[in-house]
């Protein structure tokens, strides 16, 4: 477990998160993860701490509106999302690409789990993952 600092592109949104990157990261084939090419690490409170930018974000929700997809209203970057699921409870999905002090070696070594969010089948990875 390591504490990372993260931010959006312009720096208006800043956070820190305690993440064990070696425990795994996720890529999902759901509509928003696909369009944003999200690569996330899931953490729960108190491992996610928003340091700045609450009022600099616009929130986006869709479908059941249980998951929150806030993004910076200045630069458009989605630094994290939040939701609730049977598997993770109340969780934050930290955008690994927004971690400012993670090393390339840590990124390369991070295991990836693939989720079949498109088919709402959270128990098995999708048949095809190479494009994610
Ligand atoms: Zn920004």
């Amino acid at each position: 477990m390591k504490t990372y600092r993260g931010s959006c592109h312009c720096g208006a949104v800043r956070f820190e998160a305690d993440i064990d990157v070696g425990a795994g990261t996720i890529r999902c084939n759901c509509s928003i993860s696909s369009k944003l090419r999200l690569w996330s690490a899931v953490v729960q409170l108190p491992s996610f701490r928003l340091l700045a930018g609450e009022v600099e974000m616009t929130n986006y929700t869709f479908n059941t509106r249980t998951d929150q997809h806030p993004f910076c209203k200045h630069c458009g970057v989605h630094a994290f999302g939040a939701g609730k699921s049977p598997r993770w409870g109340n969780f934050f999905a930290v955008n690994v690409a927004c971690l400012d002090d993670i090393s390339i070696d840590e990124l390369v070594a991070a295991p990836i789990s693939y989720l079949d969010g498109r088919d709402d089948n959270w128990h098995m990875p999708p048949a095809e993952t190479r494009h994610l």
Side-chain angles (χ1 to χ4, degrees), residues 7-13 56 71-77:
S7 61
C8 65
H9 189 261
C10 74
V13 176
E56 310 301 336
F71 59 94
C72 175
K73 57 183 154 186
H74 306 288
C75 67
V77 166

Side-chain angles (χ1 to χ4, degrees), residues 17-95:
D18 310 319
I19 303 170
D20 180 359
V21 177
T25 59
I26 57 170
R27 285 194 185 271
C28 182
N29 65 0
C30 77
S31 56
I32 193 155
S33 295
S34 294
K35 292 213 175 199
L36 291 171
R37 297 192 61 77
L38 287 174
W39 182 16
S40 304
V42 173
V43 299
Q44 285 86 13
L45 287 176
S47 292
F48 179 84
R49 297 174 292 280
L50 185 63
L51 302 177
E54 186 154 11
V55 297
E56 310 301 336
M57 291 183 285
T58 296
N59 194 33
Y60 175 66
T61 59
F62 64 98
N63 195 10
T64 62
R65 304 188 187 279
T66 41
D67 293 344
Q68 312 297 309
H69 305 279
F71 59 94
C72 175
K73 57 183 154 186
H74 306 288
C75 67
V77 166
H78 292 241
F80 64 92
K84 185 174 184 165
S85 81
R87 183 173 177 181
W88 296 311
N90 291 312
F91 67 89
F92 289 87
V94 175
N95 186 344

